Amino acid sequence: MTPLVETAGVKSVTLFENDGFVIYRSEDDPTNEDGQMPRWISALDISEKSNRLTFIMEHGTVILYRGDRLHLAVHCGPSTNLGEVRQTAERCHESLHNLA
């Protein structure tokens, strides 16, 4: 997760399981509090054909990545280069799922 956490504009990175259990949280913020995880899971469940969802919010953007075992939430500031974040997040997410 280090390359993603170090990407300019990324406020927090959260790795969580299907039940909302948080495996990794880079920083605490309102987008990754334990009470928020069911909302992200619900969003992923509703849009089952998409492996990536983007939410434009008042204080930035949240990008969700669906995985077989783990999901990823990335909270970015308002002026973040989302293309760079998406590329880095996809590489990190893919690397996680390729681990034995």
Side-chain angles (χ1 to χ4, degrees), residues 16 18 35-55 57 62-66 71-73:
F16 59 100
N18 288 326
Q36 185 66 31
M37 293 299 107
R39 292 181 181 142
W40 298 142
I41 292 167
S42 178
L44 288 168
D45 288 345
I46 289 170
S47 47
E48 58 189 53
K49 292 184 180 185
S50 178
N51 287 331
R52 183 180 72 209
L53 300 173
T54 302
F55 295 91
M57 300 168 51
V62 174
I63 305 171
L64 298 177
Y65 290 87
R66 176 197 322 275
H71 307 303
L72 185 64

Side-chain angles (χ1 to χ4, degrees), residues 17-39:
E17 296 179 334
N18 288 326
D19 62 359
F21 181 76
V22 175
I23 302 294
Y24 171 81
R25 183 180 285 145
S26 66
E27 298 285 333
D28 288 332
D29 76 28
T31 67
N32 66 17
E33 294 172 345
D34 290 341
Q36 185 66 31
M37 293 299 107
R39 292 181 181 142

Side-chain angles (χ1 to χ4, degrees), residues 1-16 22-33 37 40 61-65 70-77 80 85-86 88-90 92-93 96:
M1 296 289 99
T2 301
L4 187 54
V5 172
E6 293 176 348
T7 301
V10 171
K11 293 183 172 186
S12 70
V13 175
T14 308
L15 189 63
F16 59 100
V22 175
I23 302 294
Y24 171 81
R25 183 180 285 145
S26 66
E27 298 285 333
D28 288 332
D29 76 28
T31 67
N32 66 17
E33 294 172 345
M37 293 299 107
W40 298 142
T61 302
V62 174
I63 305 171
L64 298 177
Y65 290 87
L70 301 171
H71 307 303
L72 185 64
V74 183
H75 181 202
C76 306
T80 304
V85 171
R86 286 182 181 120
T88 305
E90 286 172 10
C92 288
H93 198 240
L96 277 171

